[in-house]
């Protein structure tokens, strides 16, 4: 089966495509949101948009996908990236043998982020520093 087979069931393919792009005249995405809300392949659509858009800024995202406007998709992607980064920091810290500076370099963040994430984890698990 094609990786795109789900698109055969996409409700947006059966309606006005202009509804899925805000036109700058004050008409937003209300009609599109309603259609997406009833779409049987919304989850597949969201996952596709996530893969397609990656970590793009909301300014570089266009139209509605999976019932989400560009700003909401961008916020969701940023939250997912932060969760993944924090999980990596905690895995590396738990493994031991790396300095906070090395962990920061591996995770692509500031050293203070490593300290913040590990401290928050200790606080939430009631372990001593
Ligand atoms: S959820 Fe995705 S596939 Fe379904 S109508 Fe909305 S934009 Fe189209």
């Amino acid at each position: 089966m094609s990786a795109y087979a789900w698109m055969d069931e996409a409700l947006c393919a059966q309606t006005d495509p202009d509804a899925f792009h805000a036109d700058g005249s004050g008409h937003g995405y209300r009609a599109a949101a309603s259609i997406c809300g009833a779409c049987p392949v919304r989850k597949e659509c969201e996952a596709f948009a996530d893969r397609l858009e990656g970590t793009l800024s909301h300014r570089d995202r266009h139209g509605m996908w999976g019932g989400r406007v560009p700003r909401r998709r961008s916020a969701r992607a940023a939250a997912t990236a932060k969760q993944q980064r924090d999980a990596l920091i905690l895995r590396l810290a738990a493994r031991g043998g790396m300095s906070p500076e090395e962990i920061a370099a591996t995770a692509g963040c500031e050293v203070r982020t490593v300290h913040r994430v590990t401290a928050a984890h200790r606080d939430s698990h009631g372990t001593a520093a």
Side-chain angles (χ1 to χ4, degrees):
M1 180 189 293
S2 161
Y4 304 107
W6 61 270
M7 290 183 178
D8 291 345
E9 297 180 56
L11 292 185
C12 54
Q14 304 166 32
T15 187
D16 177 11
D18 288 343
F20 291 79
H21 295 275
D23 61 10
S25 68
H27 294 98
Y29 292 102
R30 190 170 301 164
S34 175
I35 294 166
C36 290
C39 182
V41 291
R42 185 172 176 170
K43 290 291 174 209
E44 291 86 348
C45 177
E46 287 178 330
F48 181 78
D50 287 347
R51 287 193 305 276
L52 186 70
E53 297 177 319
T55 56
L56 288 176
S57 155
H58 73 272
R59 290 182 201 86
D60 296 321
R61 297 169 187 253
H62 305 284
M64 174 170 279
W65 287 80
R68 289 191 166 92
V69 298
R71 193 174 292 275
R72 285 192 60 207
R73 291 198 308 278
S74 180
R76 185 172 116 111
T80 299
K82 180 180 177 302
Q83 283 177 350
Q84 291 171 345
R85 182 206 61 202
D86 290 359
L88 174 60
I89 288 170
L90 293 174
R91 277 198 310 277
L92 294 174
R95 196 168 68 185
M98 291 178 79
S99 69
E101 290 77 13
E102 291 169 324
I103 293 173
T106 302
C109 65
E110 301 286 332
V111 174
R112 67 182 173 196
T113 301
V114 173
H115 290 301
R116 180 183 52 73
V117 170
T118 54
H121 182 72
R122 279 194 304 271
D123 289 348
S124 69
H125 288 79
T127 53

